[in-house]
Amino acid sequence: MLDFFRDGGPFMYPLGIWSILVLGFFIERAWTFARLRSEEELAAAANDVTERIDSGASFDQLNEYCTEMAKLEGEVFASGIERFEHLTREERTTEEMRAEMNGTVERAALSYLVRYLSIIQFVSSSAILLGLLGTVSGMIRAFEGIAEKGLGEPTIVAAGISEALITTATGLVIAVPALAVYTYFATRADAKGIQFEAYGHGFVDALLRRWRASQAAA
């Protein structure tokens, strides 16, 4: 294995780092998605938050509860509460606040679900390019050997061609699984985001009910 790595030339080092990145972020995303709440658990968590909002819990109490809740719901609801606190200090209509808050929770949910996927996508694209750079480097070595020694030294030519083929193959071996990982989790993120949307909007409605009540009482 070490001989194979060395024969691939200098571009094998960044390709090695790329492979570690893909593996690391694949494990992180797999762990994150495995811990996502089921729809029944999501409904229960969202209902619990809205009940706390309706009962008059302070923003500090809500933030503390969101921290305890953690995962997708805790992070998104905490972001929503933070944005809502800012909006209540601005001159906004109810519909403007609803549109702003719905966008906030949707973006926060998507950000949580697709986190690190852009890095995996970058690796899947750049691994092929690194492999091609290694191919070009290997072919340059091969032709330099031919120019210097002629065709009488086949080992020099073989070394360059070997470098070219190894980096190309390594780049493809990294890129194809990385693209599969990206596609799989991007599809799951879209599905989970759609599932979460209704509960996020219900959370926004609860905040707006409370705000309207406080405005009417003022």
Side-chain angles (χ1 to χ4, degrees):
M1 181 61 71
L2 289 176
D3 289 339
F4 180 85
F5 190 88
R6 283 194 296 267
D7 290 343
F11 288 98
M12 292 296 286
Y13 293 96
L15 285 171
I17 295 172
W18 267 213
S19 65
I20 294 170
L21 284 175
V22 171
L23 180 60
F25 287 123
F26 165 72
I27 293 172
E28 189 280 334
R29 285 292 84 189
W31 173 248
T32 297
F33 276 85
R35 294 172 63 244
L36 289 176
R37 291 178 173 90
S38 65
E39 187 163 8
E40 293 77 14
E41 293 170 332
L42 170 57
N47 289 336
D48 197 4
V49 171
T50 55
E51 286 174 5
R52 289 169 185 263
I53 294 171
D54 291 335
S55 67
S58 68
F59 287 134
D60 288 340
Q61 290 172 327
L62 291 171
N63 277 319
E64 184 178 346
Y65 180 68
C66 289
T67 301
E68 294 174 358
M69 184 187 299
K71 300 182 185 179
L72 170 66
E73 298 77 16
E75 188 167 315
V76 172
F77 292 152
S79 297
I81 291 167
E82 180 182 0
R83 183 59 183 146
F84 184 73
E85 287 187 89
H86 287 290
L87 288 175
T88 56
R89 294 191 289 267
E90 300 175 3
E91 295 293 332
R92 298 289 191 98
T93 66
T94 301
E95 289 309 311
E96 287 175 339
M97 292 180 71
R98 176 177 282 107
E100 178 72 21
M101 286 297 299
N102 283 340
T104 296
V105 296
E106 289 168 9
R107 288 190 298 272
L110 185 61
S111 176
Y112 181 91
L113 293 167
V114 303
R115 188 173 295 160
Y116 306 126
L117 290 187
S118 60
I119 298 176
I120 297 175
Q121 185 182 36
F122 168 76
V123 168
S124 69
S125 301
S126 60
I128 297 175
L129 296 178
L130 283 172
L132 290 175
L133 281 173
T135 300
V136 172
S137 174
M139 295 306 296
I140 289 173
R141 280 187 58 196
F143 284 112
E144 285 178 345
I146 293 173
E148 184 179 347
K149 301 290 185 178
L151 295 176
E153 293 288 344
T155 56
I156 296 176
V157 178
I161 294 175
S162 175
E163 177 182 325
L165 295 177
I166 287 172
T167 53
T168 301
T170 303
L172 289 172
V173 166
I174 295 169
V176 172
L179 182 59
V181 168
Y182 170 80
T183 303
Y184 173 74
F185 285 116
T187 302
R188 287 200 62 185
D190 287 340
K192 192 65 180 180
I194 292 171
Q195 183 189 77
F196 180 81
E197 189 174 294
Y199 301 103
H201 291 181
F203 163 76
V204 171
D205 290 341
L207 287 173
L208 290 175
R209 281 197 306 270
R210 173 169 165 170
W211 179 75
R212 286 195 299 265
S214 66
Q215 292 295 102

